[in-house]
Amino acid sequence: VSIFLNPTQFNDPKDLQRYPRTLDADCRLLEECRADIAFAPSVEEVYPEPDTRQFSYPPTDSVMEGAMRPGHFNGVCQVVSKLFSYVEPDRAYFGEKDYQQIAVVRRMVEDLGFKLEIVPCPVVRQSDGLALSSRNTLLTPAERKMAANIFRILDGSRSLGLSVGQTHDYVVREINAIPGLEVQYFSIVDGDTLADVSSWKAPSIVGCITVFCGTKPVRLIDHIRYK
């Protein structure tokens, strides 16, 4: 398992500084999961010189997180391509919580010709539905309880029988009505191309959301499958 806090995918230095660093705890969890090796290189090892490579896979990397965090996915592609080159894996496992990231990495794998399989791993949630994330440790107990409303509202929107536009407006309205929560974006997209959809006709449709939570806002990402 590779563990690396990658500086090139943070467009906000303050976000990088604040991001949780839990290597010892991560390694204990990996022991419990019977992982054989934790590969945790330093920044100097991964980037002995500045990485000037540019990756571009529009529209997959230019919408949602790509629009809100310029350069983010370029940094993701820089480090993931390096890790793939180091390890030469047969399979690489990525959590579906960062749904857009998987789509971008797939494009990069095709572009660079890596001979490996990308394996999506289902979102792991706590009992109240909150998606597990390193950023959850930044939440106060009250904010942690508040954040559970994100998935509750997303999940509830699937059974309302509304149009795509109405579903979008419902989710944004209901989340923003909760003090301490503010939607940055909510996009209902084709599950493969990540292009916006205006109807439920596509075979795969996903709602991707980012919400600011709390007085020192913690940026929480989640998604829901509509089809």
Side-chain angles (χ1 to χ4, degrees):
V1 177
S2 61
I3 303 174
F4 180 66
L5 184 56
N6 176 39
T8 70
Q9 69 191 67
F10 286 81
N11 63 318
D12 181 355
K14 292 182 180 178
D15 190 23
L16 174 61
Q17 185 178 15
R18 190 184 182 198
Y19 198 88
R21 292 160 170 80
T22 56
L23 179 60
D24 291 342
D26 292 343
C27 288
R28 287 194 295 271
L29 289 172
L30 292 178
E31 280 190 299
E32 294 174 12
C33 295
R34 299 171 64 185
D36 295 303
I37 295 171
F39 177 49
S42 67
V43 173
E44 291 73 24
E45 288 176 291
V46 176
Y47 298 108
E49 298 178 358
D51 192 336
T52 59
R53 293 175 300 159
Q54 295 294 313
F55 299 84
S56 181
Y57 304 112
T60 309
D61 65 349
S62 59
V63 298
M64 298 187 295
E65 289 299 286
M68 297 297 171
R69 303 173 67 187
H72 169 67
F73 285 122
N74 193 70
V76 169
C77 290
Q78 286 178 344
V79 73
V80 172
S81 62
K82 281 177 173 283
L83 292 172
F84 287 170
S85 297
Y86 298 156
V87 179
E88 297 183 356
D90 298 306
R91 292 175 298 278
Y93 297 82
F94 288 82
E96 283 191 330
K97 186 182 77 67
D98 296 305
Y99 189 89
Q100 186 176 6
Q101 177 175 267
I102 297 176
V104 172
V105 169
R106 280 190 169 129
R107 290 283 303 275
M108 184 201 71
V109 165
E110 294 171 3
D111 179 38
L112 300 184
F114 285 109
K115 305 300 182 184
L116 60 90
E117 178 188 1
I118 300 297
V119 183
C121 301
V123 179
V124 179
R125 299 185 181 277
Q126 296 182 320
S127 58
D128 60 4
L130 180 64
L132 294 187
S133 169
S134 298
R135 294 182 188 273
N136 292 353
T137 61
L138 301 175
L139 300 171
T140 67
E143 291 167 348
R144 163 68 189 74
K145 186 175 181 180
M146 182 194 310
N149 287 292
I150 299 170
F151 181 71
R152 177 184 65 79
I153 292 168
L154 284 174
D155 190 39
S157 73
R158 293 193 287 192
S159 59
L160 297 177
L162 301 175
S163 69
V164 169
Q166 290 169 333
T167 300
H168 171 275
D169 293 348
Y170 168 83
V171 168
V172 173
R173 182 176 63 251
E174 292 297 306
I175 291 177
N176 284 345
I178 298 169
L181 295 183
E182 181 183 357
V183 175
Q184 185 182 35
Y185 70 80
F186 177 51
S187 298
I188 301 177
V189 299
D190 184 292
D192 297 318
T193 67
L194 304 190
D196 286 336
V197 298
S198 57
S199 73
W200 301 114
K201 293 180 180 179
S204 173
I205 297 178
V206 178
C208 298
I209 197 165
T210 293
V211 179
F212 291 112
C213 179
T215 53
K216 295 181 179 179
V218 178
R219 194 170 182 272
L220 301 176
I221 296 172
D222 207 342
H223 77 278
I224 196 81
R225 284 190 176 273
Y226 289 105
K227 290 179 68 179

